[in-house]
């Protein structure tokens, strides 16, 4: 369900001419929702499971791993994969950028999916807040990225094949997170949850917030806070 939102957003971004300010507004709201979910669901849950040390170590490790992978992909043309403007390179401008964009999209989606899978361990239910946050944030991610891909001359088959594949792989990652970590100790689960949280926070800062704030109106901070508060309200009522 969370991954399918990428395909919905991609369809809107590729097939419909949406003003850049509206795309940025949706991205800002999605960033706020995801920041709130990471704070009150993932990091808080990791801390409750095993304390500060595994939580801090996992969060820092997730940020380092994501940053390292993102730097490698940025050099190959995936730096602006979530930008709706003219910043994405075409294949003619930078050979191999299509592959880099695909790997970058996968890098952004896997941590969210692993968290959804691990949340089922112990017979629990998936957090409605986490799934809602992933769904809401994935719509603008797919929307902005597909709009940028269209401007860069990517074909319709490439765009929808990419986001459809990422949606499927997101489900696979969720299943893997559930099956592979069933017998893990609480400290290990806390570390992995925090690692995913660190990767997601870094992804928000590197790819979502720049799209939300560059060349757009000054109300973006307010829209981001509204998204944050909406997810917080869901979190406080999540049974």
């Amino acid at each position: 369900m969370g991954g399918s939102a990428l395909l919905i957003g991609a369809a809107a971004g590729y097939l419909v001419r949406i003003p850049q300010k509206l795309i940025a507004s949706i991205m800002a709201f999605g960033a706020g929702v995801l920041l709130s979910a990471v704070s009150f669901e993932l990091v808080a849950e990791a801390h409750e499971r095993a304390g500060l040390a595994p939580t801090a170590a996992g969060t820092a490790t997730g940020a380092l791993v994501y940053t390292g992978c993102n730097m490698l992909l940025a050099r190959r043309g995936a730096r602006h994969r979530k930008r709706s403007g003219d910043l994405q390179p075409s294949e003619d401008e930078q050979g191999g950028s299509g592959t880099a964009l695909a790997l970058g999209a996968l890098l952004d989606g896997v941590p969210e999916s692993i968290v959804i899978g691990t949340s089922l361990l112990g017979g629990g239910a998936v957090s409605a807040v986490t799934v809602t946050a992933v769904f809401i944030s994935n719509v603008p991610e797919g929307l902005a990225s597909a709009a940028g891909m269209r401007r860069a001359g990517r074909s319709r088959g490439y765009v929808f094949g990419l986001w459809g594949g990422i949606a499927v792989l997101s489900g696979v990652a969720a299943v893997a997170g559930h099956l592979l970590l069933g017998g893990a100790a609480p400290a290990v689960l806390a570390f992995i949850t925090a690692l995913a949280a660190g990767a997601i926070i870094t992804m928000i800062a590197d790819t979502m917030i720049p799209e939300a704030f560059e060349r757009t109106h000054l109300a973006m901070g307010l829209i981001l806070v509204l998204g944050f508060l909406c997810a917080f309200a869901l979190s406080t009522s999540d049974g």
Side-chain angles (χ1 to χ4, degrees):
M1 183 185 295
S4 68
L6 291 168
L7 203 53
I8 295 171
Y14 193 87
L15 300 176
V16 182
R17 301 282 177 173
I18 301 175
Q20 191 169 2
K21 284 188 177 181
L22 179 57
I23 294 176
S25 299
I26 298 170
M27 185 69 88
F29 186 85
V33 168
L34 204 50
L35 279 171
S36 182
V38 169
S39 302
F40 297 108
E41 294 288 311
L42 306 187
V43 176
E45 179 186 340
H47 183 266
E48 184 178 341
R49 272 179 171 165
L52 179 60
T55 302
T59 304
T61 301
L64 286 170
V65 170
Y66 181 92
T67 299
C69 294
N70 196 41
M71 289 173 66
L72 290 174
L73 292 171
R75 294 172 185 168
R76 289 161 174 78
R79 178 71 184 93
H80 302 293
R81 58 186 176 273
K82 286 195 174 73
R83 306 304 295 274
S84 59
D86 300 317
L87 296 175
Q88 289 189 28
S90 66
E91 196 67 26
D92 291 336
E93 291 171 332
Q94 186 166 359
S97 57
T99 301
L101 286 169
L103 292 174
L106 183 61
L107 173 67
D108 296 338
V110 166
E112 301 166 349
S113 302
I114 291 175
V115 165
I116 291 174
T118 56
S119 69
L120 280 165
L121 297 176
V126 174
S127 166
V129 179
T130 302
V131 175
T132 301
V134 170
F135 186 91
I136 292 174
S137 64
N138 276 349
V139 170
E141 288 181 41
L143 192 157
S145 183
M149 289 175 183
R150 183 191 63 214
R151 287 175 177 266
R154 308 279 176 193
S155 69
R156 182 177 301 187
Y158 172 85
V159 172
F160 290 105
L162 169 63
W163 291 115
I166 297 301
V168 171
L169 289 173
S170 295
V172 172
V175 172
H178 177 67
L179 295 179
L180 298 178
L181 299 170
V188 174
L189 287 176
F191 179 87
I192 292 172
T193 301
L195 185 147
I200 293 170
I201 293 170
T202 310
M203 181 271 291
I204 294 170
D206 282 353
T207 65
M208 296 183 72
I209 289 178
E211 170 64 19
F213 283 85
E214 187 175 349
R215 295 182 296 173
T216 52
H217 54 75
L218 297 177
M220 287 301 158
L222 175 61
I223 295 172
L224 187 147
V225 170
L226 289 175
F228 185 94
L229 290 175
C230 284
F232 176 69
L234 284 173
S235 181
T236 56
S237 62
D238 188 26

